[in-house]
Amino acid sequence: MVAFPLACRQLAKRFGDVCALDGVDLTVRAGSITGFLGPNGAGKSTLLRIVVGLLRPSAGSASLFGLDARDPNARRRLGSMPADPQFAASLTGRDNLDLLAKLHGSPPIDREWACEQLALDPAVLDRRAGGYSSGMRQKLAIVQAVQCRPDLVLLDEPANRLDPLAHRGFSHLVQSIAAEGRAVLLSSHTLSEVEAICHDVVMINQGRVLLEATVAELTDRARRVVTLTHRAPVDGLPAEFVSSTSDRCMTVGRIPAHRVDLVERLASHPGVIDILVEPASLEDVFLDLYASPGVDDA
Amino acid sequence: MRELLRADLASRLRMIAGLALGIFVFLVVLGGTYQALGGSAMLGDSFRSENTPSFFSAFAGETGVDIFEPASYLALGLIHPLFLVLSFTLGVAMGSASVSADIESGRSELLYTHPRRRSAIIDARLGAWFVAQGAVLLAAFAGAAVGSRLSDELRDVSLAAIGRGVVQFAPLTVLVGTLAFAASAVSTTRARALSVSIGLVALAYLVNLVSLMWHPFAFARRVTPFGYYSPTRALVAVDVADTAVLLAAAAALIVFARTAIERRDLV
C-alpha cells in the first residue's frame, strides 16, 4: 500500500456548534503540487492546522507518510508556512530561522537555495525581524518552511505580498521541490498562480470537499467562454448558451464543455458574423462552482 | 531548546534589567532611609506607646511583630507591596505570555508545528523565567545588602540572614509565576491569563492581610501562599516545611500546564 505524503480520511472538526470540517477526504501525491482552494471560511486553514498538529480532529484521521500526523517521525518530514507568519521581533531573521530549524531538528540545508530563489538578500537576514516589511516576512516564512528539505510542504497563502520577482522565484522553488519527488500543498486565492504551477486541485466549501481533480481535468470539464459578434441583436439562441453580457453587437456567454455541436449551431445562427471560443480558466471553474445555487447551502 | 530559552531572555532583557534595577533601588532606599527616619528609637517612640498598629505588622507578614526593630524593618521590605509587585511582575508577564500570547499573535503556528512535544516549549519558557527571576532575586539580595549597610542599626542584620530571607521568598515567586504559566496554558488570550493570575494573587494577598489583622479570620492564612512565607522568621532560619509546600504547589501547577498544553487546541 502506498503511503501518501498526506491523506485525510473523513476528517471532521467542530468548534462548539460550528462545523468547520465535515468528513473531508483528501490525498496529496508524492511529486505533486496540489492547490487547495475555497472561499474564506471554507475550512482550508482548519485542515492545515490539524495536519501541522495545532488542532485535534473531532473525528477521522490525518496521516503523513502513513503515520498519524501527530507522530514526531511524520512531522519531521513536514514543513509548513502559516498564512500570517509572526516571528520573534527581537531576533534577527537568521536567528529566527536557526531557532525554527533547531525546533525542527534537521539542518537547514536548503536555506541558501531558498533565499536565492526568493531574492532574499542575506544582509536582510541579519536585521531584526521586527523591522521587516510584510513581503520580507512572507519570504522568511517560505524559507523557514523549506529550509530543512521536508518531504511535504504546506503553504497557506504563500504568494501574498510577494513582489513579481520573488513571485517568479517562488514558482520555480515550488516546482523544483515537486520535481525532486517531494510534495506541496498550496492553499491560495490566487487562482492564476494555482493554475500555472499546480498539478492537482482540491476545492472545499463549508467543510466539505467539492471536487478533487487535476488542473487539466477541471479546465477541460469546465464550460467554455463563447463570444458572439453580430450586426444586430440576435434572438433565439440555444438555451444551453448562457449569456452573461450582451449588447447590440456582441454577446458573451458560456457553453458546456465538449458541446462542439452547440458551437456549430451558434456559428450558423442568423445574424452571427463571428464566434470566438476560449478555453476555461481555473477562475471560471472556481466561479462556476462557488456561484452555483446550492453550493453555499451544501 | 536552549535557542528558545535564549530568544525568550533576549526579548525580555529590558524588562529583566528594569525590574532588577527597580528592586535593587527600592531595597537600598528602604535600608538607607531607616537611619534618616531616626532608626528604631525614633520610629519606636512614634508608635510603641500605642503599640504598633496591627495594620503595620500585617504588612510585614506577621502578627505581634515590632516592625521598627532593625531586622523586622528589613523583613518588611521583603514583603512590602512594591517589592511583591516588582518581584512577581516577571513571572506573571513571562508566564501569561508563554502560550496564550503565542496563540493570540499567531506565533504558535511557527513554534508548535515542529516534531517536538508542546510541553518542551513550555519547559524552555520556564527555564528562561527561572534564569530571569534568579537575576531579579539576586538584585533583591544585593539591594537589601547594600541598603542595610547604609544604616548603622541595620548593619547588625547579617548578609546570611538577608540571604535566608530572599531564599525563603523565592518559592513564593515560583508559585506565582507557575500560576501564570498554568493560566496561560489554558487561555486563548494573554489578557485572560494575566487577569486570572493577577486576580488570584491579589485575592490571596488580601485574604492573608485580613487574616493577619483580624483574629477570627486567622485560620484563612494558611489557605493562601502568603501564609507560607514569613520574612521575619526567614531572617532567623529558612522554614523548610513552608518552602516544600510552596514548591510542591508550584510543581503541581507545572504538571497541570504541561498536561493542558498537550491536550488543547492551539488556536
Side-chain angles (χ1 to χ4, degrees):
Chain A
M1 190 177 152
V2 181
F4 290 105
L6 171 63
C8 299
R9 296 287 167 256
Q10 289 300 300
L11 197 62
K13 180 65 185 177
R14 297 191 71 86
F15 296 103
D17 293 336
V18 178
C19 182
L21 289 179
D22 187 10
V24 168
D25 288 319
L26 180 150
T27 304
V28 172
R29 296 178 293 118
S32 75
I33 306 169
T34 303
F36 192 34
L37 304 177
N40 294 329
K44 302 187 298 294
S45 293
T46 301
L47 185 136
L48 294 180
R49 284 172 178 154
I50 289 175
V51 174
V52 299
L54 289 171
L55 293 177
R56 289 168 179 271
S58 305
S61 67
S63 65
L64 300 170
F65 307 97
L67 300 169
D68 186 282
R70 281 168 291 183
D71 188 317
N73 290 323
R75 300 255 295 274
R76 204 157 282 131
R77 299 176 69 181
L78 173 72
S80 71
M81 185 213 133
D84 185 19
Q86 298 294 330
F87 292 94
S90 60
L91 299 184
T92 64
R94 195 180 305 282
D95 287 343
N96 268 292
L97 291 176
D98 286 344
L99 170 63
L100 295 170
K102 287 278 183 190
L103 286 173
H104 195 271
S106 311
I109 47 180
D110 279 349
R111 183 188 294 175
E112 279 182 32
W113 169 73
C115 287
E116 258 172 47
Q117 296 294 315
L118 297 169
L120 186 59
D121 187 348
V124 169
L125 291 182
D126 294 323
R127 281 165 38 194
R128 287 190 173 203
Y132 279 16
S133 68
S134 56
M136 287 198 289
R137 224 168 52 221
Q138 197 78 359
K139 289 179 185 179
L140 194 68
I142 297 170
V143 173
Q144 69 79 31
V146 304
Q147 65 175 346
C148 298
R149 197 174 285 181
D151 292 320
L152 170 64
V153 184
L154 306 183
L155 303 167
D156 198 354
E157 302 289 348
N160 283 1
R161 302 184 284 261
L162 288 185
D163 57 66
L165 189 64
H167 200 282
R168 197 170 59 180
F170 167 73
S171 299
H172 184 251
L173 178 144
V174 169
Q175 284 164 337
S176 302
I177 289 172
E180 289 173 10
R182 298 185 281 148
V184 178
L185 179 65
L186 190 155
S187 166
S188 176
H189 287 300
T190 314
L191 299 175
S192 56
E193 170 194 61
V194 172
E195 188 170 7
I197 64 174
C198 291
H199 307 124
D200 302 331
V201 171
V202 176
M203 289 192 178
I204 186 172
N205 194 34
Q206 298 202 337
R208 289 182 185 169
V209 171
L210 297 182
L211 61 86
E212 193 173 359
T214 65
V215 173
E217 278 170 359
L218 273 182
T219 51
D220 204 36
R221 267 199 323 231
R223 294 193 291 174
R224 302 290 190 262
V225 178
V226 177
T227 306
L228 302 176
T229 309
H230 34 78
R231 286 198 186 89
V234 290
D235 295 319
L237 292 170
E240 296 95 324
F241 174 72
V242 183
S243 69
S244 51
T245 59
S246 180
D247 61 23
R248 201 171 166 277
C249 301
M250 190 177 283
T251 302
V252 180
R254 304 226 200 140
I255 59 169
H258 307 305
R259 287 296 305 272
V260 181
D261 62 309
L262 205 54
V263 176
E264 286 168 359
R265 278 169 61 196
L266 286 167
S268 59
H269 192 84
V272 173
I273 54 172
D274 193 19
I275 181 166
L276 176 67
V277 182
E278 295 171 85
S281 66
L282 194 59
E283 188 168 342
D284 296 320
V285 178
F286 187 89
L287 292 174
D288 258 3
L289 196 65
Y290 291 104
S292 302
V295 165
D296 281 338
D297 309 323
Chain B
M1 302 303 271
R2 256 176 291 170
E3 288 73 17
L4 187 58
L5 188 150
R6 272 204 296 267
D8 259 25
L9 284 176
S11 67
R12 299 275 179 189
L13 211 54
R14 270 185 289 189
M15 185 188 204
I16 297 164
L19 288 169
L21 183 66
I23 212 161
F24 176 82
V25 169
F26 169 72
L27 288 171
V28 167
V29 170
L30 188 98
T33 52
Y34 183 68
Q35 205 70 42
L37 291 172
S40 61
M42 190 159 171
L43 286 167
D45 285 348
S46 304
F47 294 104
R48 204 166 286 137
S49 56
E50 301 168 24
N51 293 323
T52 307
S54 60
F55 184 66
F56 281 22
S57 294
F59 267 116
E62 268 301 344
T63 50
V65 171
D66 180 359
I67 63 165
F68 301 113
E69 286 294 322
S72 301
Y73 184 80
L74 205 57
L76 166 71
L78 297 179
I79 197 168
H80 190 281
L82 184 58
F83 174 80
L84 295 180
V85 168
L86 288 168
S87 305
F88 294 159
T89 295
L90 198 60
V92 170
M94 292 180 80
S96 62
S98 62
V99 180
S100 53
D102 283 340
I103 294 170
E104 205 172 6
S105 68
R107 201 170 166 226
S108 57
E109 304 215 28
L110 286 175
L111 283 181
Y112 291 92
T113 53
H114 298 281
R116 301 270 180 175
R117 291 184 69 83
R118 293 168 170 186
S119 50
I121 307 264
I122 217 169
D123 289 348
R125 296 243 152 101
L126 278 164
W129 166 58
F130 283 145
V131 172
Q133 192 68 60
V136 171
L137 290 175
L138 210 59
F141 171 76
V146 171
S148 64
R149 300 309 103 170
L150 296 177
S151 294
D152 289 341
E153 288 182 273
L154 290 183
R155 222 169 276 162
D156 293 340
V157 182
S158 69
L159 290 181
I162 294 170
R164 281 194 293 272
V166 174
V167 166
Q168 182 83 66
F169 178 64
L172 187 62
T173 62
V174 170
L175 181 60
V176 170
T178 51
L179 171 70
F181 273 86
S184 188
V186 293
S187 302
T188 47
T189 63
R190 189 182 180 188
R192 191 174 297 172
L194 261 178
S195 53
V196 167
S197 312
I198 293 172
L200 285 175
V201 173
L203 180 69
Y205 182 77
L206 195 68
V207 168
N208 180 59
L209 202 64
V210 172
S211 68
L212 285 169
M213 287 193 297
W214 191 38
H215 292 301
F217 203 57
F219 69 91
R221 191 159 185 240
R222 298 293 273 183
V223 175
T224 83
F226 291 97
Y228 296 84
Y229 169 59
S230 166
T232 316
R233 281 183 280 131
L235 293 181
V236 180
V238 172
D239 189 323
V240 178
D242 281 0
T243 301
V245 169
L246 292 173
L247 290 179
L253 284 170
I254 291 173
V255 170
F256 171 80
R258 294 178 92 249
T259 309
I261 197 177
E262 291 292 349
R263 291 183 179 172
R264 67 170 295 186
D265 284 343
L266 288 175
V267 290

